[in-house]
Amino acid sequence: MKNLVILGAGTSGTMMANHLVGKLPKNDWKITIVDQYKTHYYQPGFLFLPFDIYTTKQVKKKGKKFIPKKVNYINQKIEQIFPEENKIKLENEDINYDILIIATGTKIAPEEIEGMKGPKWQKNIFDFYTYEGAKALRDKLRTWKGGKLAVHITEMPIKCPVAPLEFAFLADSYFVKKGMRDKVEISFVTPLDGAFTKPKATKALHYLLEEKGIKEVTDFNLESIDYENDKMIDYSGKEVEYDLLVTVPTNLGDELMVRSGLGDDMNFVPTDKATLQSKKHENIFVIGDATNLPASKAGSVAHFEAEILTDNILLYIDGKPLKEEFDGHANCFIETGNGKALLIDFNYTHEPVEGTFPFAGIGPLNLLKETRMNHMGKMAFRWIYWNMLIKGTHIPFVSATMTKKGKIFD
Amino acid sequence: MENINRNEEGYLTDFSQWTKDVGAEIAKDKEIEMTDQHWKVVDYLQGKHKNEEALSIRGIKKSGVVNIKEFYSLFPGGPLKISTMIAGIPKPKSCI
């Protein structure tokens, strides 16, 4: 009996377990998945939790529900991977593998910035990338009287790069609805040179910031937070004052990679961008946010990767060459507030452009345009996530690699 | 410089056209006089780009090439934005 081990039972790991259980020869392969946590979170929902759009119940379920019965599911902390010995040390036991899939994701690391995770953490400095953070921010917003709201990205890369912008848009709608928009100044603070950084998106979407009265502060590389005086200070000495800071802290790969000597300087695992095989070890594959790929860290990316990685695992077992097929495909809904949303579809080489999706000329979804239909798509996605996506069901009409059909490239 | 392909913002669109002279020329436009220390940073950035690794201020900090204060004084304004232009590699960006 051979062993395939998946580390991490988040979006990527759970998808891989579901894909592989029906495809690996049952008599020859045993599949094990390890995660120290028992809860599976619907992470896109963390964006809506602070605004009371989703309840806490809508964003979490028992992880066990989504792991196939024939897969060995272990709830233990992972201490270290020994790639030379094909061995993993868990909290209470050691396990061996023939093939390893790393799906340990990325986490926020607020302690990386001086003054961020200090006495004001979750008092007037919040994140919304964790369940706890999003929930604490919800409670804060319920009673907040207004002032300067800074929505901030510490450094790239981050998970779901558009989420901070969506947060700023939703905050605008939220305060309008509460009849207190005039009491809130919203700024969007980024280390990049704009809220939008690609030419076509900037052209099509910059009006949103003006329409919603959101001020951009660009090229801001945070050095420290002066929490006593409620201001952020960047490396060039620039300052941004806030009454309420909603930040996306530095995102790092799992500490396990440091302990195992498998990560780069942000603990992400160097991975072949087309095959998803790790660069150092041929029997280790990497998926989702844990990779160092120049693709977005997003569930849709993991979903497309999972289809290609499944094929590649089977090819690897058969001793055949791997498919060099992953193209960085991402497909993301972007909430713009007031019941509308955008949809973007892009890959390593093609920036998001206008057009229709998934059917050329028909839609029903519009690319790079604000519509109500796109918003309905985003809302429907929660059902798709729990019922199709993590179960590894193919989403009809949406291929793993990006299509150019229905798009306007000039 | 007229034969060098650059986008609207001034970034090279074809890295194979990059030479030290091209880099120095772009730097001059930005009122930067290149020193050994500048070239060390450019070297580091090009290496990261070649390995298809994302660029970040943290990466620079951990690189041991320069500290962040020095990085800012070498490339005043937007250091990552300006140094990547001089290095002939794409501007760091988000997905939209």
Side-chain angles (χ1 to χ4, degrees):
Chain A
M1 199 75 162
K2 292 191 169 174
N3 289 301
L4 181 139
V5 176
I6 303 168
L7 298 181
T11 308
S12 296
T14 304
M15 280 191 299
M16 286 313 295
N18 280 289
H19 273 297
L20 290 169
V21 73
K23 294 201 168 131
L24 289 186
K26 279 181 200 62
N27 300 326
D28 304 333
W29 285 87
K30 179 181 166 192
I31 304 175
T32 298
I33 187 164
V34 189
D35 197 303
Q36 62 178 315
Y37 301 110
K38 290 190 170 140
T39 304
H40 187 113
Y41 291 103
Y42 175 57
Q43 296 177 62
F46 294 169
L47 172 68
F48 298 105
L49 191 55
F51 302 111
D52 273 317
I53 299 171
Y54 282 172
T55 62
T56 52
K57 277 195 187 138
Q58 286 174 312
V59 301
K60 57 174 185 175
K61 293 188 194 290
K62 274 208 177 91
K64 203 177 164 188
K65 274 182 76 172
F66 305 98
I67 306 296
K69 288 198 179 65
K70 286 174 188 146
V71 170
N72 176 27
Y73 180 37
I74 302 180
N75 280 131
Q76 274 183 51
K77 190 174 176 231
I78 308 158
E79 301 288 356
Q80 196 170 337
I81 304 165
F82 297 92
E84 311 304 335
E85 298 164 52
N86 297 334
K87 191 178 88 179
I88 302 157
K89 184 174 164 29
L90 304 179
E91 208 175 340
N92 303 322
E93 62 188 295
D94 288 356
I95 54 175
N96 295 302
Y97 63 84
D98 295 284
I99 295 176
L100 177 64
I101 298 174
I102 296 176
T104 44
T106 174
K107 293 184 179 67
I108 60 160
E111 60 284 353
E112 290 286 322
I113 298 286
E114 189 193 324
M116 190 180 276
K117 207 176 177 179
K120 294 287 193 78
W121 182 248
Q122 296 194 349
K123 298 282 189 301
N124 72 341
I125 304 174
F126 291 85
D127 83 282
F128 68 97
Y129 270 45
T130 57
Y131 174 74
E132 295 73 24
K135 193 161 158 271
L137 180 54
R138 177 197 68 184
D139 297 342
K140 174 77 179 184
L141 287 175
R142 280 177 178 172
T143 57
W144 194 48
K145 300 279 183 283
K148 288 184 185 130
L149 167 65
V151 182
H152 168 253
I153 298 171
T154 304
E155 61 183 306
M156 298 300 287
I158 57 168
K159 174 155 44 188
C160 193
V162 290
L165 197 53
E166 293 180 280
F167 188 94
F169 292 154
L170 288 174
D172 169 70
S173 299
Y174 176 82
F175 294 121
V176 168
K177 254 190 219 141
K178 282 183 109 179
M180 55 181 285
R181 183 63 184 90
D182 58 328
K183 296 193 177 65
V184 182
E185 259 178 57
I186 304 177
S187 59
F188 185 78
V189 187
T190 169
L192 298 167
D193 73 346
F196 302 103
T197 55
K198 302 226 171 163
K200 297 229 164 57
T202 308
K203 209 172 141 202
L205 303 175
H206 203 270
Y207 77 94
L208 287 168
L209 296 168
E210 289 145 42
E211 187 184 277
K212 296 172 193 298
I214 297 167
K215 194 179 121 199
E216 268 177 300
V217 180
T218 61
D219 298 308
F220 189 89
N221 285 296
L222 182 65
E223 181 178 22
S224 63
I225 292 177
D226 176 357
Y227 57 79
E228 283 172 351
N229 296 302
D230 300 324
K231 57 188 184 186
M232 294 187 278
I233 301 153
D234 101 332
Y235 282 104
S236 67
K238 266 190 296 185
E239 294 182 353
V240 171
E241 292 182 359
Y242 59 83
D243 295 300
L244 177 58
L245 170 60
V246 176
T247 184
V248 180
T250 304
N251 280 208
L252 296 178
D254 203 286
E255 281 271 325
L256 168 66
M257 300 312 143
V258 183
R259 296 193 293 270
S260 309
L262 286 169
D264 66 8
D265 52 21
M266 297 187 88
N267 312 347
F268 297 120
V269 184
T271 305
D272 183 284
K273 70 176 203 176
T275 66
L276 305 171
Q277 189 173 39
S278 79
K279 286 192 172 170
K280 269 204 212 150
H281 306 277
E282 65 160 23
N283 63 341
I284 301 182
F285 295 83
V286 197
I287 182 169
D289 298 349
T291 74
N292 75 335
L293 300 190
S296 288
K297 296 194 181 296
S300 68
V301 174
H303 164 74
F304 298 133
E305 285 173 345
E307 295 193 5
I308 289 164
L309 181 55
T310 302
D311 289 349
N312 273 346
I313 298 275
L314 298 175
L315 288 167
Y316 178 78
I317 289 173
D318 286 345
K320 293 184 181 145
L322 305 183
K323 274 188 186 174
E324 294 185 10
E325 236 176 52
F326 186 62
D327 64 354
H329 188 194
N331 180 278
C332 310
F333 288 104
I334 304 171
E335 280 294 297
T336 53
N338 302 318
K340 290 184 188 170
L342 302 159
L343 177 64
I344 55 172
D345 191 68
F346 59 100
N347 67 10
Y348 288 138
T349 49
H350 291 83
E351 66 172 300
V353 293
E354 289 174 57
T356 49
F357 189 89
F359 301 110
I362 297 169
L365 303 172
N366 275 284
L367 295 169
L368 216 52
K369 262 202 195 103
E370 241 193 319
T371 67
R372 287 193 188 280
M373 187 61 126
N374 288 341
H375 169 70
M376 286 160 70
K378 177 128 182 166
M379 291 296 132
F381 188 72
R382 185 164 54 89
W383 187 90
I384 294 176
Y385 182 88
W386 291 120
N387 294 285
M388 293 175 78
L389 192 104
I390 58 171
K391 290 183 180 164
T393 309
H394 178 74
I395 303 202
F397 316 118
V398 182
S399 60
T401 51
M402 194 197 82
T403 173
K404 290 190 196 170
K405 284 183 197 149
K407 293 184 179 173
I408 307 159
F409 285 100
D410 292 334
Chain B
M1 282 297 277
E2 52 269 27
N3 298 325
I4 308 293
N5 298 324
R6 296 168 74 179
N7 69 15
E8 300 147 352
E9 292 178 295
Y11 290 84
L12 260 64
T13 53
D14 176 5
F15 180 68
S16 71
Q17 294 184 321
W18 188 88
T19 60
K20 255 186 142 175
D21 288 341
V22 170
E25 200 63 33
I26 296 170
K28 220 163 137 192
D29 272 358
K30 300 275 170 196
E31 293 171 6
I32 292 168
E33 188 71 46
M34 294 298 279
T35 64
D36 285 354
Q37 202 55 4
H38 287 92
W39 289 120
K40 265 192 211 161
V41 175
V42 165
D43 245 16
Y44 164 80
L45 295 173
Q46 290 175 342
K48 292 289 264 187
H49 177 65
K50 209 172 130 208
N51 292 332
E52 298 178 315
E53 291 170 37
L55 295 170
S56 65
I57 290 280
R58 162 174 318 269
I60 306 263
K61 193 152 85 183
K62 287 197 175 173
S63 69
V65 178
V66 279
N67 65 40
I68 304 298
K69 291 277 181 209
E70 199 181 351
F71 187 44
Y72 268 82
S73 65
L74 290 171
F75 304 96
L80 211 46
K81 204 166 63 174
I82 295 167
S83 59
T84 47
M85 190 186 287
I86 295 169
I89 63 177
K91 180 181 82 172
K93 49 187 180 282
S94 181
C95 62
I96 54 169

